[in-house]
Structure formats: C-alpha cells, structure tokens
Coordinates of all heavy atoms in Angstrom, one line a residue:
S179 N 15.5 50.7 73.0 CA 15.7 51.3 74.3 C 15.1 50.5 75.5 O 14.2 49.7 75.3 CB 15.2 52.8 74.3 OG 13.8 52.7 74.1
Y180 N 15.5 50.8 76.7 CA 15.1 50.1 77.9 C 14.5 51.2 78.9 O 15.0 52.3 79.0 CB 16.2 49.4 78.6 CG 16.7 48.2 77.8 CD1 17.7 48.4 76.8 CD2 16.2 46.9 78.1 CE1 18.1 47.3 76.1 CE2 16.7 45.8 77.4 CZ 17.7 46.0 76.4 OH 18.1 44.9 75.7
F181 N 13.4 50.8 79.5 CA 12.7 51.6 80.5 C 13.0 51.1 81.9 O 12.9 49.9 82.2 CB 11.2 51.6 80.3 CG 10.4 52.3 81.3 CD1 10.3 53.7 81.3 CD2 9.7 51.7 82.3 CE1 9.6 54.4 82.2 CE2 9.0 52.3 83.3 CZ 9.0 53.7 83.2
I182 N 13.5 52.0 82.8 CA 14.0 51.6 84.1 C 13.3 52.5 85.1 O 13.4 53.7 85.0 CB 15.5 51.6 84.3 CG1 16.2 50.8 83.2 CG2 15.9 51.2 85.7 CD1 17.7 51.1 83.0
T183 N 12.7 51.9 86.2 CA 12.2 52.8 87.2 C 12.5 52.2 88.6 O 12.3 51.1 88.9 CB 10.6 53.0 87.1 OG1 10.2 53.8 88.1 CG2 9.9 51.6 87.1
T184 N 13.0 53.1 89.4 CA 13.3 52.9 90.8 C 12.6 53.9 91.6 O 13.1 54.2 92.8 CB 14.8 52.9 91.1 OG1 15.4 54.1 90.7 CG2 15.5 51.7 90.3
A185 N 11.6 54.5 91.1 CA 10.9 55.7 91.7 C 9.7 55.2 92.6 O 9.9 54.8 93.7 CB 10.5 56.7 90.7
R186 N 8.5 55.3 92.0 CA 7.3 54.9 92.7 C 6.3 54.4 91.6 O 6.4 54.8 90.5 CB 6.6 56.1 93.4 CG 7.4 56.6 94.6 CD 7.3 55.6 95.8 NE 7.9 56.1 97.0 CZ 9.2 56.0 97.3 NH1 10.0 55.4 96.5 NH2 9.6 56.4 98.5
G187 N 5.5 53.5 92.1 CA 4.4 53.0 91.2 C 3.5 54.2 90.9 O 3.5 55.2 91.5
F188 N 2.7 54.0 89.8 CA 1.7 55.0 89.3 C 2.4 56.2 88.5 O 1.6 56.9 87.9 CB 0.9 55.6 90.4 CG 0.1 54.5 91.2 CD1 0.4 54.1 92.4 CD2 -1.0 54.0 90.5 CE1 -0.3 53.2 93.1 CE2 -1.8 53.0 91.2 CZ -1.4 52.6 92.5
I189 N 3.7 56.3 88.5 CA 4.3 57.3 87.6 C 4.2 56.8 86.2 O 4.0 57.6 85.3 CB 5.8 57.6 88.1 CG1 5.8 58.3 89.4 CG2 6.5 58.4 87.0 CD1 7.2 58.5 90.0
H190 N 4.4 55.5 86.0 CA 4.2 54.9 84.7 C 3.0 54.1 84.7 O 2.5 53.5 85.7 CB 5.4 54.1 84.2 CG 5.6 52.8 85.0 ND1 6.1 52.7 86.2 CD2 5.3 51.5 84.6 CE1 6.1 51.5 86.6 NE2 5.6 50.7 85.6
D191 N 2.3 54.0 83.5 CA 1.1 53.2 83.3 C 1.6 51.8 83.0 O 2.1 51.5 82.0 CB 0.3 53.8 82.2 CG -1.0 53.1 81.9 OD1 -1.1 51.9 82.1 OD2 -2.0 53.8 81.5
E192 N 1.2 50.8 83.9 CA 1.7 49.5 83.7 C 1.0 48.8 82.5 O 1.7 48.0 81.8 CB 1.4 48.6 85.0 CG 2.3 49.1 86.2 CD 2.0 48.2 87.4 OE1 1.0 47.4 87.4 OE2 2.8 48.3 88.4
S193 N -0.2 49.1 82.2 CA -0.9 48.6 81.1 C -0.2 49.1 79.8 O 0.0 48.3 78.8 CB -2.4 48.9 81.1 OG -3.0 48.4 82.2
A194 N 0.1 50.3 79.8 CA 0.8 50.9 78.6 C 2.2 50.3 78.4 O 2.6 50.0 77.3 CB 0.9 52.4 78.7
L195 N 2.9 50.0 79.5 CA 4.2 49.4 79.4 C 4.0 47.9 78.9 O 4.8 47.5 78.1 CB 4.9 49.4 80.8 CG 6.2 48.6 80.8 CD1 7.2 49.2 79.8 CD2 6.8 48.7 82.3
F196 N 3.0 47.2 79.3 CA 2.7 45.9 78.8 C 2.6 45.9 77.3 O 3.1 45.1 76.6 CB 1.5 45.3 79.5 CG 1.0 44.0 79.0 CD1 1.6 42.8 79.4 CD2 0.1 43.9 78.0 CE1 1.2 41.6 78.9 CE2 -0.3 42.7 77.5 CZ 0.2 41.5 77.9
E197 N 1.8 46.8 76.8 CA 1.5 46.9 75.4 C 2.8 47.2 74.6 O 3.1 46.7 73.6 CB 0.5 48.0 75.1 CG -0.9 47.6 75.6 CD -1.5 46.3 74.9 OE1 -1.1 46.1 73.7 OE2 -2.2 45.6 75.6
A198 N 3.6 48.1 75.2 CA 4.9 48.5 74.5 C 5.8 47.3 74.4 O 6.5 47.1 73.4 CB 5.6 49.6 75.3
L199 N 5.9 46.5 75.5 CA 6.7 45.3 75.5 C 6.1 44.2 74.5 O 6.9 43.6 73.8 CB 6.9 44.8 76.9 CG 7.7 45.6 77.8 CD1 7.5 45.2 79.3 CD2 9.2 45.6 77.5
R200 N 4.8 44.1 74.6 CA 4.2 43.0 73.8 C 4.4 43.4 72.3 O 4.6 42.5 71.4 CB 2.7 42.9 74.1 CG 2.0 41.8 73.3 CD 0.6 41.6 73.8 NE -0.2 42.7 73.3 CZ -1.6 42.7 73.4 NH1 -2.2 41.7 73.9 NH2 -2.3 43.8 73.0
N201 N 4.3 44.7 71.9 CA 4.4 45.1 70.5 C 5.9 45.3 70.1 O 6.1 45.7 69.0 CB 3.6 46.4 70.3 CG 2.2 46.2 70.6 OD1 1.6 45.1 70.4 ND2 1.5 47.3 71.0
K202 N 6.8 45.1 71.1 CA 8.2 45.2 70.9 C 8.6 46.7 70.4 O 9.5 46.9 69.6 CB 8.7 44.2 69.8 CG 8.6 42.8 70.3 CD 9.2 41.8 69.3 CE 9.0 40.4 69.9 NZ 9.5 39.4 68.9
S203 N 7.8 47.6 71.0 CA 8.1 49.0 70.8 C 9.3 49.5 71.5 O 10.0 50.4 71.1 CB 6.9 49.9 71.2 OG 5.7 49.5 70.5
I204 N 9.7 48.8 72.6 CA 10.9 49.0 73.3 C 11.6 47.6 73.6 O 10.9 46.6 73.5 CB 10.7 49.7 74.7 CG1 9.8 48.9 75.6 CG2 10.1 51.1 74.4 CD1 9.7 49.5 77.0
A205 N 12.8 47.6 74.0 CA 13.6 46.4 74.1 C 13.4 45.7 75.4 O 13.5 44.4 75.4 CB 15.1 46.7 73.9
G206 N 13.0 46.4 76.5 CA 12.9 45.7 77.7 C 12.7 46.7 78.9 O 12.6 47.9 78.6
A207 N 12.6 46.2 80.1 CA 12.3 47.1 81.2 C 13.0 46.5 82.5 O 13.1 45.3 82.6 CB 10.8 47.2 81.4
G208 N 13.3 47.4 83.4 CA 13.8 47.0 84.7 C 12.9 47.7 85.7 O 12.8 49.0 85.8
L209 N 12.2 46.9 86.5 CA 11.1 47.5 87.4 C 11.4 47.1 88.8 O 11.4 46.0 89.2 CB 9.8 46.9 86.9 CG 9.4 47.0 85.4 CD1 8.1 46.3 85.1 CD2 9.4 48.5 85.0
D210 N 11.5 48.2 89.6 CA 11.6 48.0 91.1 C 10.4 48.5 91.8 O 10.3 48.2 93.0 CB 12.9 48.7 91.6 CG 13.1 48.5 93.1 OD1 13.2 47.3 93.5 OD2 13.3 49.5 93.8
V211 N 9.5 49.2 91.2 CA 8.3 49.7 91.8 C 7.0 49.3 91.0 O 7.1 49.1 89.8 CB 8.4 51.2 92.0 CG1 9.5 51.6 92.9 CG2 8.6 51.9 90.6
W212 N 5.9 49.2 91.8 CA 4.7 48.6 91.2 C 3.5 49.4 91.7 O 3.5 50.0 92.8 CB 4.6 47.1 91.5 CG 5.8 46.4 91.2 CD1 7.0 46.3 91.9 CD2 6.0 45.6 90.0 NE1 7.9 45.5 91.2 CE2 7.3 45.1 90.1 CE3 5.2 45.3 88.9 CZ2 7.9 44.3 89.1 CZ3 5.8 44.5 87.9 CH2 7.1 44.0 88.0
A213 N 2.4 49.3 91.0 CA 1.1 49.9 91.4 C 0.7 49.2 92.7 O 0.1 49.8 93.6 CB 0.1 49.8 90.3
K214 N 0.8 47.8 92.7 CA 0.5 47.1 93.9 C 1.8 46.3 94.3 O 2.4 45.6 93.5 CB -0.6 46.0 93.7 CG -0.9 45.2 94.9 CD -2.0 44.1 94.5 CE -2.3 43.3 95.8 NZ -3.3 42.3 95.5
E215 N 2.2 46.6 95.6 CA 3.5 46.0 96.0 C 3.3 45.0 97.2 O 2.6 45.4 98.2 CB 4.5 47.1 96.4 CG 4.9 48.0 95.2 CD 5.9 49.0 95.6 OE1 6.2 49.2 96.8 OE2 6.5 49.6 94.6
P216 N 3.9 43.8 97.1 CA 4.6 43.3 96.0 C 3.6 42.9 94.9 O 2.4 42.6 95.2 CB 5.3 42.0 96.5 CG 4.4 41.6 97.7 CD 3.9 42.9 98.3
P217 N 4.0 42.8 93.6 CA 3.1 42.4 92.6 C 2.7 41.0 92.7 O 3.6 40.2 93.1 CB 3.9 42.7 91.3 CG 5.3 42.6 91.7 CD 5.4 43.1 93.1
P218 N 1.5 40.6 92.3 CA 1.2 39.1 92.3 C 2.0 38.3 91.3 O 2.5 38.9 90.3 CB -0.3 39.1 91.9 CG -0.5 40.4 91.2 CD 0.5 41.4 91.8
P219 N 2.3 37.1 91.6 CA 3.1 36.2 90.7 C 2.6 36.2 89.3 O 3.4 36.0 88.3 CB 3.1 34.9 91.3 CG 2.8 35.1 92.8 CD 1.9 36.3 92.8
D220 N 1.3 36.4 89.1 CA 0.7 36.3 87.7 C 0.6 37.7 87.1 O -0.1 37.9 86.1 CB -0.7 35.6 87.7 CG -1.7 36.4 88.6 OD1 -1.3 37.3 89.3 OD2 -2.9 36.1 88.5
H221 N 1.3 38.7 87.6 CA 1.3 40.0 87.1 C 1.7 39.9 85.6 O 2.7 39.3 85.3 CB 2.2 40.9 87.8 CG 2.0 42.4 87.5 ND1 2.4 42.9 86.3 CD2 1.5 43.4 88.3 CE1 2.1 44.2 86.3 NE2 1.6 44.6 87.5
P222 N 1.0 40.6 84.7 CA 1.4 40.5 83.3 C 2.8 40.8 82.9 O 3.4 40.2 82.1 CB 0.4 41.4 82.6 CG -0.8 41.5 83.5 CD -0.2 41.4 84.9
L223 N 3.3 41.8 83.6 CA 4.7 42.3 83.3 C 5.8 41.3 83.7 O 6.9 41.3 83.2 CB 5.0 43.6 83.9 CG 4.2 44.8 83.3 CD1 4.4 46.1 84.2 CD2 4.7 45.1 81.9
L224 N 5.4 40.4 84.6 CA 6.4 39.4 85.1 C 6.5 38.2 84.1 O 7.3 37.3 84.3 CB 6.0 38.8 86.5 CG 6.1 39.8 87.6 CD1 5.6 39.2 88.9 CD2 7.5 40.3 87.8
Q225 N 5.6 38.2 83.1 CA 5.6 37.1 82.1 C 6.6 37.3 81.0 O 6.9 36.4 80.2 CB 4.2 36.9 81.5 CG 3.1 36.9 82.6 CD 3.3 36.0 83.8 OE1 3.7 34.9 83.6 NE2 3.1 36.6 85.0

C-alpha cells in the first residue's frame, strides 16, 4: 500500500513514516505537506 497526504504536516509522524519505508512495511508515499515547509534538501524522506 501507499500513503498519500495533501492535508497538513503533523497529522502523520514523519519519523514513523521513515521507519515504515525503510523497513518496507509499505510500498511508498506521496507527500505534499511537511512538518517544516519547505523541507530541507537533506530531509530523510527525500532520500
């Protein structure tokens, strides 16, 4: 499954999403909102 958010940052936990992606618990994500906007280029989820 894929996680998609076009709502607001802080509704989902970015660290928890990072772990889910790293562990391949989910297939991928589509992210339009961030805890800090815009996210820095070295944001873990952008890797």
Side-chain angles (χ1 to χ4, degrees):
S179 62
Y180 291 85
F181 176 78
I182 303 165
T183 179
T184 56
R186 289 291 184 271
F188 300 106
I189 292 175
H190 72 280
D191 183 326
E192 291 183 349
S193 297
L195 176 58
F196 173 84
E197 292 298 328
L199 291 166
R200 185 176 68 171
N201 298 332
K202 298 183 178 179
S203 300
I204 62 174
L209 308 175
D210 185 52
V211 293
W212 307 82
K214 180 181 179 182
E215 296 185 350
D220 62 349
H221 193 292
L223 289 171
L224 294 177
Q225 314 313 311

